[in-house]
Amino acid sequence: MFILHHWPLDPWSRQARLALAEKKCAVELRFQRVWEPEDAFFDLNPAGLTPVLEDRSGETPLVIVQADAILAHLEETRPEPPLLPSDPAGRAEVRRLVTWFDRKFDAEVNAYLLHEKLEKRMQNLGSPDAGIIRAGRDFLRAHLDYMSMLLERRDGLAGPRYSMADLVAAAHLSCVDYLGDVPWDSFPAAKAWYERIKCRPAFRSLLDDRLPGLPPARWYADLDF
Amino acid sequence: MFILHHWPLDPWSRQARLALAEKKCAVELRFQRVWEPEDAFFDLNPAGLTPVLEDRSGETPLVIVQADAILAHLEETRPEPPLLPSDPAGRAEVRRLVTWFDRKFDAEVNAYLLHEKLEKRMQNLGSPDAGIIRAGRDFLRAHLDYMSMLLERRDGLAGPRYSMADLVAAAHLSCVDYLGDVPWDSFPAAKAWYERIKCRPAFRSLLDDRLPGLPPARWYADLDF
Protein backbone atom coordinates (compact mmCIF):
# COMPACT_ATOMS: atom_id res chain seq x y z
CA MET A 1 0.00 0.00 0.00
CA PHE A 2 1.17 3.50 -0.84
CA ILE A 3 0.42 6.88 0.70
CA LEU A 4 1.39 9.95 -1.30
CA HIS A 5 1.61 13.35 0.36
CA HIS A 6 1.05 15.83 -2.43
CA TRP A 7 -0.31 19.17 -3.55
CA PRO A 8 -2.49 18.91 -6.68
CA LEU A 9 -0.83 21.62 -8.80
CA ASP A 10 2.75 20.91 -7.76
CA PRO A 11 4.47 19.55 -10.92
CA TRP A 12 6.61 17.16 -8.85
CA SER A 13 3.63 15.75 -6.96
CA ARG A 14 2.04 15.16 -10.34
CA GLN A 15 5.13 13.25 -11.52
CA ALA A 16 4.78 10.92 -8.53
CA ARG A 17 1.05 10.42 -9.13
CA LEU A 18 1.62 9.65 -12.81
CA ALA A 19 4.43 7.18 -12.10
CA LEU A 20 2.35 5.38 -9.44
CA ALA A 21 -0.58 5.14 -11.85
CA GLU A 22 1.60 3.91 -14.74
CA LYS A 23 3.01 1.22 -12.44
CA LYS A 24 -0.56 0.35 -11.34
CA CYS A 25 0.09 1.02 -7.66
CA ALA A 26 -2.99 1.68 -5.52
CA VAL A 27 -2.32 4.88 -3.62
CA GLU A 28 -4.01 6.94 -0.94
CA LEU A 29 -3.51 10.64 -1.65
CA ARG A 30 -3.02 13.01 1.27
CA PHE A 31 -3.32 16.70 0.57
CA GLN A 32 -0.45 18.87 1.84
CA ARG A 33 -0.26 22.67 1.54
CA VAL A 34 3.29 23.12 0.20
CA TRP A 35 3.62 26.69 1.39
CA GLU A 36 2.45 25.86 4.92
CA PRO A 37 3.13 22.17 5.66
CA GLU A 38 1.76 20.56 8.83
CA ASP A 39 4.31 20.05 11.61
CA ALA A 40 4.06 16.27 11.30
CA PHE A 41 5.05 16.53 7.63
CA PHE A 42 8.56 17.67 8.60
CA ASP A 43 9.07 14.27 10.26
CA LEU A 44 8.63 12.71 6.84
CA ASN A 45 10.65 15.34 4.96
CA PRO A 46 12.77 17.82 6.93
CA ALA A 47 12.93 19.96 3.77
CA GLY A 48 9.13 20.37 4.03
CA LEU A 49 8.54 19.78 0.31
CA THR A 50 6.04 17.59 -1.53
CA PRO A 51 5.88 14.91 -2.80
CA VAL A 52 6.63 12.27 -0.16
CA LEU A 53 5.73 8.64 -0.73
CA GLU A 54 5.16 6.15 2.05
CA ASP A 55 5.75 2.70 0.58
CA ARG A 56 4.11 0.16 2.90
CA SER A 57 4.08 -2.63 0.37
CA GLY A 58 7.07 -4.46 1.88
CA GLU A 59 7.95 -5.71 5.35
CA THR A 60 9.70 -2.47 6.33
CA PRO A 61 7.77 0.72 5.58
CA LEU A 62 9.81 3.13 3.47
CA VAL A 63 9.62 6.90 3.18
CA ILE A 64 10.70 8.19 -0.22
CA VAL A 65 11.25 11.92 -0.46
CA GLN A 66 10.97 14.04 -3.62
CA ALA A 67 9.99 13.11 -7.14
CA ASP A 68 13.44 12.05 -8.45
CA ALA A 69 13.78 9.50 -5.64
CA ILE A 70 10.15 8.33 -6.01
CA LEU A 71 10.50 7.80 -9.76
CA ALA A 72 13.82 5.97 -9.35
CA HIS A 73 12.41 3.85 -6.49
CA LEU A 74 9.35 2.80 -8.47
CA GLU A 75 11.43 2.00 -11.54
CA GLU A 76 13.79 -0.14 -9.47
CA THR A 77 11.21 -1.98 -7.38
CA ARG A 78 8.42 -2.22 -9.99
CA PRO A 79 10.11 -2.42 -13.38
CA GLU A 80 6.89 -3.04 -15.34
CA PRO A 81 5.95 -1.15 -17.42
CA PRO A 82 9.40 0.44 -17.81
CA LEU A 83 9.65 4.22 -17.80
CA LEU A 84 13.34 4.15 -18.72
CA PRO A 85 14.76 2.39 -21.80
CA SER A 86 17.26 -0.38 -21.16
CA ASP A 87 20.19 0.96 -23.23
CA PRO A 88 22.60 3.58 -21.82
CA ALA A 89 22.06 6.01 -24.74
CA GLY A 90 18.29 5.84 -24.36
CA ARG A 91 18.48 6.30 -20.60
CA ALA A 92 20.82 9.28 -21.01
CA GLU A 93 18.40 10.96 -23.43
CA VAL A 94 15.44 10.43 -21.09
CA ARG A 95 17.43 11.84 -18.17
CA ARG A 96 18.62 14.82 -20.22
CA LEU A 97 15.01 15.79 -20.85
CA VAL A 98 13.88 15.10 -17.29
CA THR A 99 16.54 17.57 -16.12
CA TRP A 100 15.54 19.97 -18.91
CA PHE A 101 12.01 20.19 -17.50
CA ASP A 102 12.88 19.95 -13.81
CA ARG A 103 15.49 22.71 -14.04
CA LYS A 104 15.16 24.78 -17.20
CA PHE A 105 11.38 24.70 -17.68
CA ASP A 106 10.98 25.21 -13.95
CA ALA A 107 13.29 28.25 -13.89
CA GLU A 108 11.89 29.80 -17.08
CA VAL A 109 8.18 28.93 -17.00
CA ASN A 110 7.04 27.75 -13.54
CA ALA A 111 9.02 30.46 -11.75
CA TYR A 112 7.13 33.05 -13.80
CA LEU A 113 3.66 31.64 -14.48
CA LEU A 114 3.04 29.35 -11.50
CA HIS A 115 4.56 31.88 -9.16
CA GLU A 116 2.57 34.86 -10.41
CA LYS A 117 -0.76 33.12 -10.94
CA LEU A 118 -0.78 30.37 -8.34
CA GLU A 119 1.72 30.83 -5.51
CA LYS A 120 0.97 34.54 -5.07
CA ARG A 121 -2.75 33.76 -4.84
CA MET A 122 -2.33 30.87 -2.40
CA GLN A 123 -0.02 32.85 -0.15
CA ASN A 124 -1.72 36.25 -0.46
CA LEU A 125 1.38 37.84 -1.95
CA GLY A 126 -0.48 40.40 -4.04
CA SER A 127 -1.76 40.44 -7.60
CA PRO A 128 0.08 38.94 -10.57
CA ASP A 129 2.52 41.11 -12.53
CA ALA A 130 1.47 41.27 -16.20
CA GLY A 131 5.06 41.84 -17.40
CA ILE A 132 6.33 38.74 -15.64
CA ILE A 133 3.43 36.67 -17.00
CA ARG A 134 4.29 37.87 -20.52
CA ALA A 135 7.94 36.86 -20.03
CA GLY A 136 6.89 33.41 -18.78
CA ARG A 137 4.63 32.94 -21.81
CA ASP A 138 7.51 33.85 -24.15
CA PHE A 139 9.72 31.26 -22.48
CA LEU A 140 6.90 28.73 -22.69
CA ARG A 141 6.67 29.25 -26.48
CA ALA A 142 10.42 28.60 -26.76
CA HIS A 143 9.99 25.33 -24.86
CA LEU A 144 7.05 24.30 -27.07
CA ASP A 145 9.21 25.08 -30.11
CA TYR A 146 11.94 22.83 -28.82
CA MET A 147 9.45 20.05 -28.03
CA SER A 148 7.98 20.36 -31.54
CA MET A 149 11.43 19.88 -33.02
CA LEU A 150 11.94 16.70 -31.00
CA LEU A 151 8.45 15.39 -31.76
CA GLU A 152 8.92 15.77 -35.49
CA ARG A 153 11.48 12.97 -35.26
CA ARG A 154 9.84 10.63 -32.76
CA ASP A 155 6.58 9.81 -30.94
CA GLY A 156 7.92 10.27 -27.43
CA LEU A 157 9.96 13.27 -26.34
CA ALA A 158 13.06 11.15 -25.74
CA GLY A 159 12.55 8.26 -28.15
CA PRO A 160 10.04 6.01 -29.86
CA ARG A 161 8.21 5.03 -26.65
CA TYR A 162 6.48 6.80 -23.78
CA SER A 163 9.08 7.35 -21.04
CA MET A 164 9.83 9.22 -17.86
CA ALA A 165 10.68 12.23 -20.06
CA ASP A 166 7.10 12.40 -21.39
CA LEU A 167 5.71 11.87 -17.89
CA VAL A 168 7.84 14.66 -16.37
CA ALA A 169 7.19 17.08 -19.24
CA ALA A 170 3.44 16.43 -19.09
CA ALA A 171 3.39 16.90 -15.30
CA HIS A 172 4.95 20.35 -15.72
CA LEU A 173 2.88 21.38 -18.74
CA SER A 174 -0.39 20.21 -17.18
CA CYS A 175 -0.04 22.75 -14.35
CA VAL A 176 0.49 25.61 -16.78
CA ASP A 177 -2.37 24.23 -18.88
CA TYR A 178 -4.69 24.28 -15.84
CA LEU A 179 -4.02 28.03 -15.74
CA GLY A 180 -4.85 28.33 -19.45
CA ASP A 181 -1.42 29.51 -20.57
CA VAL A 182 -0.45 26.95 -23.22
CA PRO A 183 -1.03 28.16 -26.81
CA TRP A 184 -1.62 24.63 -28.09
CA ASP A 185 -3.03 25.63 -31.46
CA SER A 186 0.26 27.24 -32.51
CA PHE A 187 2.16 24.01 -31.78
CA PRO A 188 0.35 21.11 -33.50
CA ALA A 189 3.05 18.46 -32.87
CA ALA A 190 3.16 19.26 -29.16
CA LYS A 191 -0.64 19.36 -29.07
CA ALA A 192 -0.95 15.92 -30.68
CA TRP A 193 1.60 14.58 -28.18
CA TYR A 194 -0.29 16.05 -25.22
CA GLU A 195 -3.57 14.69 -26.59
CA ARG A 196 -2.08 11.19 -26.59
CA ILE A 197 -0.83 11.64 -23.04
CA LYS A 198 -4.17 12.96 -21.79
CA CYS A 199 -5.78 9.76 -23.07
CA ARG A 200 -3.57 7.55 -20.92
CA PRO A 201 -5.52 6.02 -18.01
CA ALA A 202 -2.71 7.18 -15.67
CA PHE A 203 -3.49 10.80 -16.52
CA ARG A 204 -7.19 10.68 -15.69
CA SER A 205 -7.03 11.61 -12.02
CA LEU A 206 -5.00 14.74 -12.81
CA LEU A 207 -7.75 15.95 -15.10
CA ASP A 208 -10.26 15.71 -12.25
CA ASP A 209 -8.27 18.09 -10.01
CA ARG A 210 -10.09 21.28 -9.10
CA LEU A 211 -8.62 23.99 -6.88
CA PRO A 212 -11.30 25.74 -4.76
CA GLY A 213 -11.90 29.23 -6.16
CA LEU A 214 -9.63 28.66 -9.15
CA PRO A 215 -11.34 26.64 -11.89
CA PRO A 216 -9.14 25.25 -14.68
CA ALA A 217 -9.03 26.51 -18.26
CA ARG A 218 -12.14 25.50 -20.24
CA TRP A 219 -10.27 22.83 -22.24
CA TYR A 220 -8.14 21.51 -19.37
CA ALA A 221 -9.96 18.18 -18.97
CA ASP A 222 -11.05 17.75 -22.62
CA LEU A 223 -9.40 14.79 -24.31
CA ASP A 224 -10.10 16.43 -27.66
CA PHE A 225 -9.18 20.09 -27.22
CA MET B 1 37.99 7.19 -22.84
CA PHE B 2 36.03 10.05 -21.35
CA ILE B 3 35.88 13.76 -22.13
CA LEU B 4 34.24 16.02 -19.58
CA HIS B 5 33.15 19.53 -20.50
CA HIS B 6 33.15 21.44 -17.25
CA TRP B 7 33.67 24.70 -15.43
CA PRO B 8 35.94 24.35 -12.37
CA LEU B 9 33.73 26.09 -9.79
CA ASP B 10 30.40 24.75 -11.05
CA PRO B 11 29.15 22.39 -8.28
CA TRP B 12 27.60 20.02 -10.85
CA SER B 13 30.79 19.81 -12.90
CA ARG B 14 32.57 18.93 -9.67
CA GLN B 15 30.08 16.13 -9.00
CA ALA B 16 30.90 14.61 -12.38
CA ARG B 17 34.66 14.94 -11.80
CA LEU B 18 34.39 13.31 -8.38
CA ALA B 19 32.27 10.42 -9.65
CA LEU B 20 34.66 9.78 -12.56
CA ALA B 21 37.60 9.77 -10.19
CA GLU B 22 35.87 7.48 -7.65
CA LYS B 23 35.12 5.06 -10.50
CA LYS B 24 38.75 5.34 -11.65
CA CYS B 25 37.87 6.56 -15.15
CA ALA B 26 40.63 8.39 -17.02
CA VAL B 27 39.14 11.64 -18.25
CA GLU B 28 40.21 14.57 -20.39
CA LEU B 29 38.84 17.80 -18.96
CA ARG B 30 37.69 20.53 -21.35
CA PHE B 31 37.10 23.96 -19.89
CA GLN B 32 33.76 25.56 -20.76
CA ARG B 33 32.64 29.04 -19.68
CA VAL B 34 29.13 28.33 -18.37
CA TRP B 35 27.90 31.88 -18.83
CA GLU B 36 29.13 32.09 -22.43
CA PRO B 37 29.38 28.59 -23.92
CA GLU B 38 31.01 28.05 -27.31
CA ASP B 39 28.60 27.51 -30.21
CA ALA B 40 29.78 23.93 -30.66
CA PHE B 41 28.85 23.18 -27.05
CA PHE B 42 25.14 23.59 -27.85
CA ASP B 43 25.43 20.60 -30.19
CA LEU B 44 26.33 18.53 -27.15
CA ASN B 45 23.78 20.13 -24.83
CA PRO B 46 21.07 22.38 -26.30
CA ALA B 47 20.47 23.71 -22.78
CA GLY B 48 24.04 25.08 -22.85
CA LEU B 49 24.86 23.91 -19.32
CA THR B 50 27.85 22.06 -17.90
CA PRO B 51 28.71 19.30 -17.20
CA VAL B 52 28.56 17.17 -20.34
CA LEU B 53 30.34 13.84 -20.50
CA GLU B 54 31.42 12.17 -23.73
CA ASP B 55 31.75 8.47 -23.01
CA ARG B 56 33.90 6.96 -25.76
CA SER B 57 34.68 3.79 -23.85
CA GLY B 58 32.20 1.62 -25.77
CA GLU B 59 31.55 0.93 -29.45
CA THR B 60 29.04 3.77 -29.78
CA PRO B 61 30.16 7.12 -28.36
CA LEU B 62 27.63 8.47 -25.85
CA VAL B 63 26.90 12.03 -24.80
CA ILE B 64 25.62 12.29 -21.24
CA VAL B 65 24.18 15.64 -20.25
CA GLN B 66 24.03 17.07 -16.72
CA ALA B 67 25.28 15.70 -13.44
CA ASP B 68 22.24 13.58 -12.45
CA ALA B 69 22.46 11.66 -15.74
CA ILE B 70 26.26 11.37 -15.53
CA LEU B 71 26.16 10.01 -11.97
CA ALA B 72 23.38 7.54 -12.84
CA HIS B 73 25.19 6.47 -16.03
CA LEU B 74 28.47 5.83 -14.23
CA GLU B 75 26.72 3.93 -11.44
CA GLU B 76 24.91 1.73 -13.97
CA THR B 77 27.80 1.06 -16.31
CA ARG B 78 30.65 0.98 -13.73
CA PRO B 79 29.12 -0.33 -10.52
CA GLU B 80 32.45 -0.53 -8.61
CA PRO B 81 32.96 1.08 -6.19
CA PRO B 82 29.23 1.65 -5.57
CA LEU B 83 28.06 5.18 -4.83
CA LEU B 84 24.52 4.01 -4.03
CA PRO B 85 23.67 1.37 -1.40
CA SER B 86 21.90 -1.74 -2.67
CA ASP B 87 18.79 -1.61 -0.44
CA PRO B 88 15.77 0.56 -1.33
CA ALA B 89 15.77 2.39 2.01
CA GLY B 90 19.47 3.24 1.71
CA ARG B 91 19.07 4.40 -1.88
CA ALA B 92 16.10 6.57 -0.92
CA GLU B 93 18.08 8.25 1.85
CA VAL B 94 21.02 8.96 -0.48
CA ARG B 95 18.66 10.42 -3.09
CA ARG B 96 16.83 12.53 -0.51
CA LEU B 97 20.12 14.20 0.41
CA VAL B 98 21.27 14.55 -3.20
CA THR B 99 18.07 16.49 -3.90
CA TRP B 100 18.51 18.42 -0.64
CA PHE B 101 21.85 19.79 -1.90
CA ASP B 102 20.98 20.10 -5.58
CA ARG B 103 17.78 22.03 -4.85
CA LYS B 104 17.66 23.43 -1.32
CA PHE B 105 21.36 24.18 -0.78
CA ASP B 106 21.53 25.53 -4.32
CA ALA B 107 18.55 27.85 -3.81
CA GLU B 108 19.60 29.00 -0.34
CA VAL B 109 23.40 29.11 -0.50
CA ASN B 110 24.70 28.98 -4.09
CA ALA B 111 22.07 31.43 -5.34
CA TYR B 112 23.34 33.93 -2.75
CA LEU B 113 27.05 33.30 -2.29
CA LEU B 114 28.15 31.89 -5.66
CA HIS B 115 25.97 34.40 -7.46
CA GLU B 116 27.21 37.46 -5.57
CA LYS B 117 30.86 36.52 -5.33
CA LEU B 118 31.50 34.46 -8.45
CA GLU B 119 28.89 34.85 -11.18
CA LYS B 120 28.68 38.64 -10.84
CA ARG B 121 32.47 38.86 -11.13
CA MET B 122 32.72 36.52 -14.12
CA GLN B 123 29.93 38.28 -15.97
CA ASN B 124 30.75 41.86 -14.92
CA LEU B 125 27.40 42.30 -13.22
CA GLY B 126 28.62 44.76 -10.59
CA SER B 127 29.94 44.37 -7.07
CA PRO B 128 28.61 41.89 -4.54
CA ASP B 129 25.77 42.94 -2.24
CA ALA B 130 26.84 42.60 1.41
CA GLY B 131 23.28 42.02 2.63
CA ILE B 132 22.75 39.14 0.23
CA ILE B 133 26.09 37.61 1.22
CA ARG B 134 25.06 37.81 4.89
CA ALA B 135 21.77 36.07 4.11
CA GLY B 136 23.60 33.32 2.20
CA ARG B 137 25.99 32.81 5.11
CA ASP B 138 23.05 32.48 7.52
CA PHE B 139 21.49 29.82 5.30
CA LEU B 140 24.86 28.07 5.06
CA ARG B 141 25.03 27.85 8.87
CA ALA B 142 21.58 26.25 8.92
CA HIS B 143 22.75 23.64 6.40
CA LEU B 144 25.90 22.94 8.43
CA ASP B 145 23.69 22.53 11.50
CA TYR B 146 21.56 19.98 9.70
CA MET B 147 24.64 18.12 8.44
CA SER B 148 26.09 18.06 11.96
CA MET B 149 22.89 16.46 13.24
CA LEU B 150 23.14 13.74 10.59
CA LEU B 151 26.86 13.20 11.16
CA GLU B 152 26.41 12.68 14.88
CA ARG B 153 24.62 9.46 14.03
CA ARG B 154 26.71 8.14 11.14
CA ASP B 155 30.01 8.53 9.27
CA GLY B 156 28.51 9.35 5.90
CA LEU B 157 25.77 11.92 5.38
CA ALA B 158 23.27 9.27 4.28
CA GLY B 159 24.54 6.17 6.07
CA PRO B 160 27.58 4.30 7.35
CA ARG B 161 29.49 4.47 4.04
CA TYR B 162 30.67 7.17 1.65
CA SER B 163 27.94 7.61 -1.00
CA MET B 164 26.66 9.85 -3.74
CA ALA B 165 25.16 12.04 -1.00
CA ASP B 166 28.63 12.81 0.43
CA LEU B 167 30.01 13.37 -3.06
CA VAL B 168 27.21 15.80 -4.03
CA ALA B 169 27.34 17.67 -0.72
CA ALA B 170 31.13 17.99 -0.90
CA ALA B 171 30.95 19.23 -4.51
CA HIS B 172 28.61 22.05 -3.43
CA LEU B 173 30.44 22.90 -0.22
CA SER B 174 33.85 22.91 -1.89
CA CYS B 175 32.82 25.82 -4.14
CA VAL B 176 31.68 27.91 -1.18
CA ASP B 177 34.84 26.86 0.65
CA TYR B 178 36.99 28.10 -2.25
CA LEU B 179 35.42 31.51 -1.60
CA GLY B 180 36.23 31.22 2.10
CA ASP B 181 32.65 31.28 3.37
CA VAL B 182 32.43 28.07 5.39
CA PRO B 183 32.78 28.63 9.17
CA TRP B 184 34.25 25.17 9.71
CA ASP B 185 35.46 25.77 13.24
CA SER B 186 31.91 26.27 14.52
CA PHE B 187 30.84 22.90 13.11
CA PRO B 188 33.34 20.25 14.25
CA ALA B 189 31.37 17.21 13.03
CA ALA B 190 30.96 18.70 9.53
CA LYS B 191 34.62 19.74 9.56
CA ALA B 192 35.80 16.21 10.46
CA TRP B 193 33.60 14.82 7.68
CA TYR B 194 34.99 17.29 5.12
CA GLU B 195 38.54 16.53 6.27
CA ARG B 196 37.95 12.82 5.53
CA ILE B 197 36.54 13.69 2.10
CA LYS B 198 39.43 16.01 1.23
CA CYS B 199 41.81 13.11 1.88
CA ARG B 200 40.14 10.91 -0.74
CA PRO B 201 42.33 10.56 -3.85
CA ALA B 202 39.29 11.44 -5.98
CA PHE B 203 39.16 14.89 -4.39
CA ARG B 204 42.74 15.85 -5.11
CA SER B 205 42.28 17.45 -8.53
CA LEU B 206 39.55 19.75 -7.16
CA LEU B 207 41.97 21.11 -4.60
CA ASP B 208 44.39 22.07 -7.39
CA ASP B 209 41.82 24.31 -9.13
CA ARG B 210 42.79 27.97 -9.33
CA LEU B 211 40.63 30.61 -10.98
CA PRO B 212 42.75 33.36 -12.62
CA GLY B 213 42.52 36.51 -10.53
CA LEU B 214 40.54 34.81 -7.78
CA PRO B 215 42.75 32.77 -5.46
CA PRO B 216 41.04 30.35 -3.06
CA ALA B 217 40.73 30.78 0.69
CA ARG B 218 44.01 30.16 2.51
CA TRP B 219 42.90 26.77 3.87
CA TYR B 220 41.10 25.59 0.72
CA ALA B 221 43.68 22.97 -0.30
CA ASP B 222 44.92 22.07 3.21
CA LEU B 223 44.11 18.53 4.21
CA ASP B 224 44.45 19.56 7.85
CA PHE B 225 42.66 22.90 8.14
Side-chain angles (χ1 to χ4, degrees), chain A residues 85 87 89-91 93-94 96-97 150-151 153-166 193 196:
Chain A
D87 63 306
R91 294 165 89 84
E93 180 62 355
V94 169
R96 177 180 81 79
L97 288 163
L150 296 174
L151 291 164
R153 300 182 300 197
R154 50 207 197 194
D155 282 348
L157 274 182
R161 275 188 217 85
Y162 181 84
S163 76
M164 213 179 266
D166 300 289
W193 165 86
R196 289 197 298 280

Side-chain angles (χ1 to χ4, degrees), chain A residues 12 44-47 49 62-66 68-69 72-73 76-77 84 88-89 91-93 95-96 99-100 102-104 146, chain B residues 12 44-47 49 62-66 68-69 72-73 76-77 84 88-89 91-93 95-96 99-100 102-104 146:
Chain A
W12 285 275
L44 292 172
N45 182 9
L49 294 169
L62 297 172
V63 176
I64 322 278
V65 166
Q66 300 269 265
D68 346 23
H73 172 72
E76 286 167 0
T77 56
L84 277 176
R91 294 165 89 84
E93 180 62 355
R95 287 175 176 139
R96 177 180 81 79
T99 307
W100 179 287
D102 279 351
R103 299 261 165 86
K104 196 171 164 68
Y146 183 61
Chain B
W12 285 275
L44 293 172
N45 181 9
L49 294 168
L62 296 172
V63 177
I64 322 279
V65 166
Q66 300 268 263
D68 345 22
H73 173 73
E76 286 167 359
T77 55
L84 277 176
R91 294 166 89 83
E93 181 63 354
R95 288 175 175 139
R96 175 179 83 80
T99 307
W100 178 288
D102 278 351
R103 299 262 165 86
K104 195 173 164 70
Y146 183 60

Side-chain angles (χ1 to χ4, degrees), chain B residues 108-203:
Chain B
E108 295 176 348
V109 179
N110 296 346
Y112 291 62
L113 297 179
L114 295 193
H115 179 73
E116 288 301 320
K117 298 177 79 171
L118 205 54
E119 289 167 16
K120 274 186 160 179
R121 183 191 182 101
M122 297 296 148
Q123 300 175 57
N124 293 317
L125 298 175
S127 45
D129 179 315
I132 296 180
I133 290 179
R134 250 195 321 275
R137 285 184 181 148
D138 287 344
F139 274 124
L140 175 56
R141 296 181 74 89
H143 282 272
L144 289 162
D145 254 338
Y146 183 60
M147 292 174 69
S148 305
M149 198 193 74
L150 296 174
L151 291 164
E152 271 165 28
R153 298 182 302 196
R154 50 207 195 194
D155 282 347
L157 273 182
R161 276 190 216 84
Y162 181 83
S163 76
M164 212 178 268
D166 300 288
L167 181 155
V168 165
H172 282 283
L173 273 162
S174 66
C175 295
V176 191
D177 192 43
Y178 186 100
L179 301 173
D181 282 312
V182 189
W184 291 116
D185 287 335
S186 310
F187 300 90
K191 185 180 180 183
W193 164 87
Y194 192 57
E195 234 161 21
R196 288 196 299 279
I197 290 190
K198 273 173 119 174
C199 290
R200 296 180 78 84
F203 213 78

Side-chain angles (χ1 to χ4, degrees), chain A residues 67-146:
Chain A
D68 346 23
I70 294 171
L71 267 54
H73 172 72
L74 291 173
E75 191 68 8
E76 286 167 0
T77 56
R78 283 175 171 67
E80 290 302 324
L83 292 171
L84 277 176
S86 54
D87 63 306
R91 294 165 89 84
E93 180 62 355
V94 169
R95 287 175 176 139
R96 177 180 81 79
L97 288 163
V98 166
T99 307
W100 179 287
F101 281 91
D102 279 351
R103 299 261 165 86
K104 196 171 164 68
F105 188 95
D106 183 54
E108 296 176 346
V109 180
N110 296 346
Y112 291 61
L113 297 179
L114 296 192
H115 180 72
E116 289 300 319
K117 299 177 79 170
L118 204 55
E119 289 167 17
K120 273 186 159 178
R121 184 190 180 102
M122 296 296 147
Q123 299 174 58
N124 293 318
L125 298 175
S127 45
D129 179 315
I132 296 179
I133 289 179
R134 250 194 322 273
R137 285 185 180 147
D138 287 345
F139 275 124
L140 175 56
R141 296 181 72 91
H143 282 273
L144 289 162
D145 253 338
Y146 183 61

Side-chain angles (χ1 to χ4, degrees), chain B residues 38-111:
Chain B
E38 295 157 19
D39 285 350
F41 186 64
F42 286 95
D43 295 338
L44 293 172
N45 181 9
L49 294 168
T50 53
V52 172
L53 180 68
E54 295 186 64
D55 179 348
R56 300 185 176 177
S57 63
E59 270 180 38
T60 324
L62 296 172
V63 177
I64 322 279
V65 166
Q66 300 268 263
D68 345 22
I70 294 171
L71 267 54
H73 173 73
L74 291 173
E75 191 67 10
E76 286 167 359
T77 55
R78 281 173 172 68
E80 289 303 324
L83 293 171
L84 277 176
S86 54
D87 62 306
R91 294 166 89 83
E93 181 63 354
V94 170
R95 288 175 175 139
R96 175 179 83 80
L97 288 163
V98 166
T99 307
W100 178 288
F101 282 90
D102 278 351
R103 299 262 165 86
K104 195 173 164 70
F105 187 95
D106 183 53
E108 295 176 348
V109 179
N110 296 346

Side-chain angles (χ1 to χ4, degrees), chain A residues 178-198:
Chain A
Y178 186 99
L179 301 173
D181 282 311
V182 189
W184 291 116
D185 287 334
S186 311
F187 298 91
K191 185 181 180 183
W193 165 86
Y194 193 56
E195 234 161 21
R196 289 197 298 280
I197 290 190
K198 274 174 118 173

